[in-house]
Amino acid sequence: MGNVYFYGLTDFQAIATGAAVLASGGGGSYHDACAIVQQLADQGYTGTVQVQDYDGATNACVLAIMGSPDAADNLTLTAVQNSINNTVAVMQAYTGMQPGAFIPVEIGPINSLVPLIGAAMSGGSIWVVNGDGAGRAVPELPQTTFTAPTGPAPSPAVLASDASTLAAEYAVLGSATASGIESLAGGVVGGFGGYSGIAMWPSNAGNQFALSGSYIPGTLEQARQLGLQLLQAVTPLSTQAVAMGIQNLTGRAARAVVTNFFMTSVTQSTSSASLDSGIIRLDNAPDPAQSTETHYLYNLNENLIMYSAASTTPDIIAPDSICYYSESTGRGFSNASDDLAQYFDAKTGRSTGNQVSVIAVQTAPQLYNTPGVVASFAALLRNIGYAGGMPPA
């Protein structure tokens, strides 16, 4: 079964910090994740959560927060706990399944923490799987390894708001496909205010514990180890050092594409399906009029493509990860507005002077080889105007 870990608050912080780099700009706000870990400390939490490979014998489900990071701006521990309570309660009532394990849907500052917080709330009766469905954050459910034909059905999928009591603010969705759940969930999440708790892909004796083998193993521990490297550094690590650290931890090729640029323009909007879409401009000078090199990042919550104004081919294309790191702050960050505020002043429309680097990380092989995943990313890219080829495995 591999290693068994026991993560406490220090590890939660490290996971959020590592995930803020690995998530490719998504997975929730790092600013909010740090605040949530501090709120857990303020509540007096001193326990640990058991983290290990899935054993193929425990009732489990995928647990996450779904929707717009900007709609969830200043997300609190109470909101997360209420979302988890409501979502898991409805899942249990609807399926009769008492979950014994949670698995993260993706790697992200918030969505790596959500299952850990859920397990912490259980008082030790629930543990967390050391893995996730993408090895990065993804815009939609069809871009995960859980969609493999050998995996469990995604439904019933339960969405619930962060209301302090259940009331009527929950929905149970049924579909044979992840794309069907994604389509149905968009309107529900919007009705809840732009974000929601979600529990899905139940795994139990009835489906032969079908989450077995349907996730990418080891990714929570990879995020923790990377986060520890960043947190323990006396001065911010170089972009090259972070890229090498990612490569050594994940076994996936990683390279710095731009180093110490400036964020000079940000346009963001939230869709009716509660996804934030945006374009971010990076220049090698804080004043774009003085820039001699410009790159553009297109995101749909997560970064999907980056290209140079001087090149006819993209710098990086999803499903490869397009990861943020800053040598000014020594941290990664997401496309959430409160994270970007350290690097771009929305009021003045100018760079704050903090420098930004972008690291390309090769797709996890299991994600790339899951049937339909690359085609799903290609469809997202076509929707933002890219009709070229996809990166090789």
Side-chain angles (χ1 to χ4, degrees):
M1 272 197 46
N3 294 328
V4 178
Y5 303 93
F6 293 89
Y7 292 163
L9 280 180
T10 300
D11 303 297
F12 288 14
Q13 180 63 59
I15 287 167
T17 301
V21 177
L22 294 170
S24 194
S29 159
Y30 178 57
H31 173 273
D32 289 353
C34 292
I36 286 167
V37 174
Q38 183 59 54
Q39 289 159 24
L40 260 176
D42 293 344
Q43 283 188 356
Y45 179 73
T46 58
T48 60
V49 170
Q50 184 172 327
V51 177
Q52 64 185 55
D53 293 338
Y54 188 48
D55 60 4
T58 300
N59 291 339
C61 65
V62 174
L63 185 68
I65 297 290
M66 184 180 199
S68 158
D70 283 345
D73 191 27
N74 293 316
L75 188 67
T76 65
L77 175 62
T78 298
V80 171
Q81 290 174 325
N82 288 347
S83 296
I84 292 169
N85 266 332
N86 295 340
T87 304
V88 174
V90 176
M91 172 66 85
Q92 184 174 341
Y94 193 81
T95 64
M97 182 186 87
Q98 173 71 47
F102 295 140
I103 182 169
V105 69
E106 62 186 3
I107 289 297
I110 294 295
N111 270 338
S112 291
L113 286 183
V114 166
L116 293 168
I117 293 170
M121 292 164 59
S122 78
S125 64
I126 296 174
W127 49 274
V128 174
V129 174
N130 180 18
D132 79 291
R136 52 163 289 162
V138 294
E140 297 177 339
L141 300 176
Q143 292 105 47
T144 66
T145 59
F146 304 122
T147 61
T150 55
S155 60
V158 174
L159 288 85
S161 76
D162 62 1
S164 57
T165 58
L166 264 179
E169 294 188 333
Y170 66 86
V172 180
L173 307 179
S175 176
T177 65
S179 58
I181 294 295
E182 183 73 41
S183 178
L184 292 169
V188 175
V189 173
F192 289 166
Y195 72 96
S196 167
I198 183 167
M200 54 205 152
W201 279 296
S203 178
N204 52 39
N207 60 15
Q208 291 77 53
F209 300 100
L211 278 177
S212 302
S214 67
Y215 67 96
I216 302 170
T219 56
L220 266 187
E221 178 61 12
Q222 290 166 10
R224 188 183 78 92
Q225 291 287 349
L226 179 62
L228 287 175
Q229 291 178 22
L230 299 178
L231 291 168
Q232 292 172 357
V234 177
T235 58
L237 299 176
S238 70
T239 303
Q240 182 61 30
V242 174
M244 288 304 299
I246 292 171
Q247 184 165 308
N248 291 337
L249 287 167
T250 66
R252 296 150 56 193
R255 60 186 173 88
V257 179
V258 299
T259 301
N260 293 336
F261 273 54
F262 299 88
M263 199 171 285
T264 57
S265 175
V266 174
T267 60
Q268 297 273 86
S269 62
T270 302
S271 73
S272 59
S274 298
L275 288 170
D276 295 332
S277 60
I279 305 171
I280 292 174
R281 174 173 170 164
L282 301 175
D283 284 287
N284 64 353
D287 180 356
Q290 305 299 317
S291 175
T292 59
E293 186 178 344
T294 301
H295 297 257
Y296 293 90
L297 268 165
Y298 283 73
N299 64 72
L300 190 64
N301 281 13
E302 287 72 32
N303 295 327
L304 291 178
I305 188 168
M306 186 174 83
Y307 69 88
S308 164
S311 176
T312 57
T313 59
D315 298 317
I316 323 169
I317 313 170
D320 287 348
S321 297
I322 306 170
C323 300
Y324 290 129
Y325 174 69
S326 171
E327 292 187 14
S328 295
T329 64
R331 299 289 182 268
F333 55 95
S334 77
N335 288 315
S337 294
D338 53 5
D339 279 3
L340 296 180
Q342 282 200 77
Y343 308 96
F344 180 78
D345 187 333
K347 292 182 179 178
T348 64
R350 298 180 62 86
S351 167
T352 63
N354 283 331
Q355 294 174 311
V356 172
S357 298
V358 176
I359 298 169
V361 182
Q362 189 176 37
T363 322
Q366 189 172 344
L367 180 66
Y368 195 96
N369 293 322
T370 298
V373 164
V374 174
S376 182
F377 273 108
L380 293 177
L381 287 160
R382 284 196 297 273
N383 288 339
I384 61 175
Y386 175 73
M390 298 298 288

